[in-house]
Amino acid sequence: MREHGPKRPAAAALPIDWVVEIHATEAAALGDARPSLLSAPQVNIFHLRRLDDRLAAHFDGLAVAGEHGWPFCEAALETPSTGAAFVAAARAIGEKQERRLERLFELADGALAARKGVMSAFGWLERAQLRGVVADLMRSDDAIKRMIAIGACGMHRVVPDAVVADWIVDPQPIVRTRALRATGEIGRTDLLYTCIESNNDDDPDCQFWATWSAVLLGNRTQALQHLSGVGQTPGPYRDRAFRLTLQVMPESSAANLLRELARNPIERRWLIQGTGIVGDPTYVPWLVAQMESPAT
């Protein structure tokens, strides 16, 4: 005889390890690829939207797994890549896990790849998810935290309080560097003169971002001349300097710069890129001719 009575609740389905691991590893791989795609010439907003949709789907999978998914994120931090730090930071911020976020700040202090990943997470998340988190970091005595806070403001184009002016002269170079960059990103024209003064900073990274922001904020004399020199000299900032220089130069000055490059065969690839940035259609026949050379 069948017994009657209340039915026992079905046991909650446990996450499947290999599925959760796929979500973690795929999200990290996409996090590694995303920074390059943001500046790649062949990538448009449609491609970025597809990548972000895939990222969001993997984050949804990790969210469904809950605490079961964190060990897979944590395991990837044993050798912290940009993507692994990006995934872990995005989860820690979104789920308000302060202890886990603290560990990521420690990693960011010692490993450049982890620092880039944490910064990328602050840029990828919506402003509402960062509310309160960035404000706390701004008040921190830790240079890495202050740097990440001002970086988040710059990436989201949020104009913070006058504290930015203090950070431009911060004793820590990493804070000064990010504050100088954010000054141009958020359009703080009131700090243009400070940027020009910071061209003489002892730190080369600070020098570059001071020049870059000064040009963005309207200085087309000494700052542009300095930026043009960086754009024609091998170095870590050449690409960014070269692009902005040609974007803001008068057409005649840009043409002169391209003619200088044309005199040196070693600079042929830079010349090709420069013609595209300048955008003069009279260069099209010459560009088409460059397609015949495997080197270009």
Side-chain angles (χ1 to χ4, degrees):
M1 182 176 178
R2 181 176 298 175
E3 294 183 3
H4 295 280
K7 295 181 178 180
R8 295 176 62 185
L14 292 175
I16 302 171
D17 283 352
W18 65 268
V19 174
V20 180
E21 186 176 12
I22 287 175
H23 284 310
T25 55
E26 286 293 311
L30 292 171
D32 273 324
R34 193 173 188 273
S36 297
L37 293 179
L38 286 172
S39 58
Q42 76 278 16
V43 176
N44 58 33
I45 193 68
F46 172 76
H47 298 126
L48 288 175
R49 177 59 186 269
R50 287 187 62 187
L51 182 141
D52 280 357
D53 285 345
R54 290 171 62 196
L55 258 177
H58 288 302
F59 275 122
D60 285 345
L62 290 171
V64 170
E67 284 298 303
H68 192 81
W70 181 254
F72 295 98
C73 298
E74 199 164 36
L77 295 175
E78 294 300 323
T79 53
S81 66
T82 297
F86 165 76
V87 173
R91 287 205 68 201
I93 297 167
E95 297 170 13
K96 308 298 182 185
Q97 295 285 347
E98 294 183 10
R99 180 179 59 81
R100 291 171 180 171
L101 194 55
E102 280 295 328
R103 190 206 165 187
L104 287 160
F105 289 141
E106 292 173 6
L107 287 175
D109 194 13
L112 182 58
R115 186 182 306 175
K116 290 180 178 178
V118 173
M119 287 291 296
S120 184
F122 275 84
W124 189 76
L125 292 169
E126 298 289 341
R127 288 186 189 179
Q129 295 173 281
L130 302 178
R131 192 167 293 125
V133 179
V134 172
D136 288 342
L137 296 180
M138 284 184 174
R139 295 188 289 268
S140 175
D141 293 331
D142 187 286
I144 286 291
K145 293 180 180 180
R146 298 200 305 277
M147 181 271 292
I148 290 173
I150 192 62
C153 293
M155 289 184 287
H156 286 279
R157 304 301 190 260
V158 173
V159 182
D161 296 331
V163 71
V164 178
D166 298 329
W167 285 352
I168 287 178
V169 292
D170 192 279
Q172 296 297 325
I174 59 170
V175 179
R176 295 201 305 275
T177 297
R178 201 58 187 82
L180 286 163
R181 176 176 177 175
T183 299
E185 290 172 334
I186 61 182
R188 287 289 299 267
T189 53
D190 57 309
L191 296 176
L192 171 58
Y193 183 72
T194 307
C195 288
I196 294 173
E197 285 187 325
S198 297
N199 286 338
N200 299 318
D201 195 290
D202 293 334
D203 185 84
D205 294 328
C206 291
Q207 289 177 14
F208 171 76
W209 289 111
T211 302
W212 184 83
S213 286
V215 171
L216 276 183
L217 296 174
N219 187 288
R220 300 294 189 264
T221 52
Q222 67 266 39
L224 181 56
Q225 184 178 359
H226 185 203
L227 192 71
S228 177
V230 176
Q232 297 175 64
T233 306
Y237 293 117
R238 182 177 186 182
D239 183 68
R240 191 181 287 269
F242 182 72
R243 179 171 297 275
L244 182 57
T245 296
L246 289 176
Q247 286 173 333
V248 303
M249 267 184 169
E251 187 176 339
S252 59
S253 299
N256 289 336
L257 193 156
L258 294 179
R259 277 193 287 270
E260 285 294 323
L261 291 174
R263 294 191 179 99
N264 187 351
I266 298 176
E267 303 285 10
R268 182 57 55 89
R269 293 178 67 85
W270 287 99
L271 176 61
I272 292 171
Q273 291 183 53
T275 57
I277 297 168
V278 172
D280 187 338
T282 59
Y283 297 127
V284 171
W286 179 81
L287 283 170
V288 172
Q290 302 312 303
M291 297 178 188
E292 298 177 4
S293 169
T296 54

